[in-house]
Amino acid sequence: DVQLVESGGGSVQVGDSLRLSCEVSGDPNMNCMSWFRQAPGKEREGVAGIYVGGFPTSYADSAKGRFTISRDSRTKTVYLQMSDLKLEDTAKYYCAAGPTCLVRQVQRSWGQGTQVTVS
C-alpha cells in the first residue's frame, strides 16, 4: 500500500519562495513522481516530474526557471522548490506516482494535497 503525504504549503507573498515535500511510504514501483496543482474552478495540471534515479526531470512551461523538483532516495522524499512565486501559483499542490511524468490520467497514487496561497 502506497501513501504520499505532502507538506510545506502556506501563505506567502508575491516573489517569495516555498519548498513542498512529499513523503513516500511503501513502494510505488512507478517510474515517475510528479507534482500537480489545482486552482479553484480549474483542472488539475502537471507542474513538475522526476524519474527514478533523479533524471530526467520535466516541467510545465509555467514552472520552468522558477521551480525545481528533486528527490532524496534515502528518505523517500520528493521536493518541489518554488521561487519567485506569482499570484497564479495559488493552488492546492498534489504529489503523484505514475508510469509517466505529468500525465494526470495515468497517475496511480495521489497525496491529499497541500495548499499554497500567494498574495
Side-chain angles (χ1 to χ4, degrees):
D1 190 24
V2 176
Q3 280 195 320
L4 309 177
V5 180
E6 303 95 334
S7 62
S11 296
V12 296
Q13 295 189 332
V14 171
D16 282 353
S17 298
L18 203 60
R19 189 177 79 161
L20 306 182
S21 300
C22 172
E23 294 185 26
V24 182
S25 61
D27 183 4
N29 194 28
M30 290 288 117
N31 284 335
C32 180
M33 297 296 299
S34 297
W35 284 97
F36 288 76
R37 68 185 183 187
Q38 188 167 19
K42 294 189 176 181
E43 289 193 353
R44 192 171 297 188
E45 63 177 3
V47 176
I50 187 167
Y51 282 94
V52 170
F55 183 84
T57 55
S58 301
Y59 294 94
D61 287 344
S62 59
K64 288 178 181 176
R66 299 189 301 125
F67 294 3
T68 301
I69 189 170
S70 61
R71 64 192 299 167
D72 185 331
S73 298
R74 182 179 60 85
T75 62
K76 298 179 72 175
T77 303
V78 180
Y79 300 100
L80 184 67
Q81 178 67 50
M82 305 185 293
S83 61
D84 190 23
L85 284 162
K86 306 177 186 299
L87 295 175
E88 52 265 39
D89 294 319
T90 295
K92 196 164 189 179
Y93 284 71
Y94 296 87
C95 180
T100 304
C101 291
L102 301 184
V103 180
R104 176 174 53 87
Q105 294 84 348
V106 305
Q107 302 306 311
R108 304 285 176 82
S109 299
W110 292 90
Q112 83 290 348
T114 186
Q115 179 67 38
V116 173
T117 302
V118 184
S119 61

